[in-house]
Amino acid sequence: MARRRHLRDRVIGLGLRLLARLPLRVNHALGALLGGLVWYLPTRAAAITRTNLALCFPEKDRTWRRRVGRRSLIAMGQALTESPWLWQSSPETLGRLAARPPDYAALARREDGRALFLCAPHLGSWEFAGLDAARHGAMATLYSPFKTPEIDRWVREARASTGAELAPADRSGLRILQQARDRGEIIGILPDQSPKGASGQHASFFGRPALTMTLLPRLLRGRTDHVVFLFAERLPKGRGFRYHEIEAGPEVADRDFARAAAAINAHVEALVRRRPEQYNWAYKRFNPPPEGWSDPYRRGA
């Protein structure tokens, strides 16, 4: 078993190094091919994508949902294949990939002692958004280690190379985020990541309850830090990325976590509606459901 895992990791490492050397345009073409295969074959990812789009856009016809579903899996294929290329890119290269500098950069340069929370959902290229953010100031970001050591090493080295401090998703990571907040630094969060255990709050997302993390309002409690929701739209033919940003108000820091979670999901939903074809619809966003609601991903549901 150990030999098989070692061989698998070596093959994965070889594939990562190959993708890192290909031009971004070619890289994206391979990702599109991969995503297209996932859509047309009887895969679980395609089934979850169809379910999520039917739940979130019941007013759209089947042709629209099929088109968006296929394009979203293509986008996820590109997110997968572009990552090694981004991980080995220099900060200067990352800067050139932005169609224009992000608006939040001005907030990051303010010396008012307040932290800047960047909330990037699984939309567009969240890997680019996270790597590029560290160019604009000291940054700490939540991090869940990859099971494959080769991928985990790449990610850790890449994010450290642009200046980000990785905060593991445990108590030690929470302390890192709190310390970065107190220093007035940038903090990166994936706001649509379903929390584990009972640490979340169900709140409406596209009209259906979704378990939502309460980490953001917990970190913001009693503070007036800046909060920006954003995503980096992937432009065609490897031309780079275009930022979309929403500066949030005090509602995301509400002491009532139910109201804060609803505000968080409202901002994420507003961004997703701008480019639904670049959202990760293959993620079981509505699992686990609250009491009294059925599991939409259960076969026959």
Side-chain angles (χ1 to χ4, degrees):
M1 183 65 71
R3 288 186 61 186
R4 290 177 61 184
R5 284 198 299 265
H6 180 67
L7 178 60
R8 180 204 62 187
D9 292 346
R10 290 191 61 183
V11 171
I12 291 174
L14 180 62
L16 292 174
R17 286 189 288 273
L18 176 61
L19 289 170
R21 292 177 178 272
L22 294 175
L24 187 58
R25 183 172 180 174
V26 176
N27 195 304
H28 281 170
L30 289 175
L33 176 62
L34 176 62
L37 288 173
V38 172
W39 172 257
Y40 286 112
L41 294 175
T43 63
R44 186 65 176 150
I48 295 171
T49 296
R50 294 188 184 97
T51 297
N52 280 333
L53 287 170
L55 292 171
C56 296
F57 295 96
E59 75 283 5
K60 298 292 187 181
D61 60 35
R62 186 179 179 186
T63 299
W64 183 92
R65 292 199 296 264
R66 286 179 62 84
R67 181 174 67 252
V68 170
R70 178 178 61 84
R71 290 179 178 176
S72 75
L73 285 177
I74 285 174
M76 291 308 101
Q78 292 171 326
L80 176 65
T81 59
E82 78 187 1
S83 293
W85 192 93
L86 293 171
W87 294 336
Q88 60 83 44
S89 296
S90 66
E92 293 73 24
T93 297
L94 293 172
R96 289 193 294 269
L97 287 172
R100 63 175 178 79
D103 294 336
Y104 73 74
L107 293 176
R109 290 193 296 269
R110 292 179 62 176
E111 297 181 358
D112 58 4
R114 291 189 286 174
L116 170 59
F117 287 81
L118 295 182
C119 303
H122 292 87
L123 177 65
S125 181
W126 58 91
E127 195 66 47
F128 169 78
L131 291 170
D132 186 51
R135 298 190 310 110
H136 301 287
M139 180 178 182
T141 182
L142 271 179
Y143 172 74
S144 296
F146 287 85
K147 294 181 180 180
T148 304
E150 187 74 20
I151 298 179
D152 193 62
R153 180 182 61 80
W154 271 65
V155 175
R156 285 181 174 276
E157 291 179 356
R159 291 177 178 168
S161 70
T162 56
E165 181 180 8
L166 301 185
D170 55 25
R171 289 185 179 275
S172 66
L174 178 60
R175 286 194 295 271
I176 291 173
L177 296 182
Q178 290 171 332
Q179 292 165 359
R181 175 203 62 190
D182 294 342
R183 293 192 296 264
E185 297 177 354
I186 300 172
I187 298 171
I189 290 177
L190 288 166
D192 58 342
Q193 184 85 42
S194 293
K196 298 183 183 300
S199 60
Q201 172 74 49
H202 279 96
S204 178
F205 183 60
F206 283 92
R208 188 178 182 92
L211 188 62
T212 305
M213 65 167 56
T214 55
L215 174 63
L216 181 61
R218 291 176 190 276
L219 288 171
L220 288 170
R221 183 176 292 174
R223 300 176 59 89
T224 58
D225 296 312
H226 306 288
V227 181
V228 175
F229 286 75
L230 78 159
F231 76 95
E233 175 192 358
R234 185 178 297 101
L235 300 178
K237 299 180 180 179
R239 292 204 302 264
F241 306 91
R242 178 185 295 118
Y243 280 106
H244 297 254
E245 300 166 77
I246 298 174
E247 189 169 356
E251 66 278 0
V252 296
D254 200 301
R255 292 180 180 273
D256 184 330
F257 288 160
R259 288 201 290 263
I264 291 169
N265 284 350
H267 287 311
V268 174
E269 181 176 331
L271 290 177
V272 171
R273 287 186 181 277
R274 296 187 188 186
R275 293 293 183 274
E277 70 278 7
Q278 291 198 14
Y279 190 58
N280 181 14
W281 296 109
Y283 181 56
K284 293 183 178 181
R285 187 66 185 90
F286 301 108
N287 200 23
E291 186 177 354
W293 287 74
S294 61
D295 180 357
Y297 309 109
R298 179 175 53 82
R299 293 192 179 188

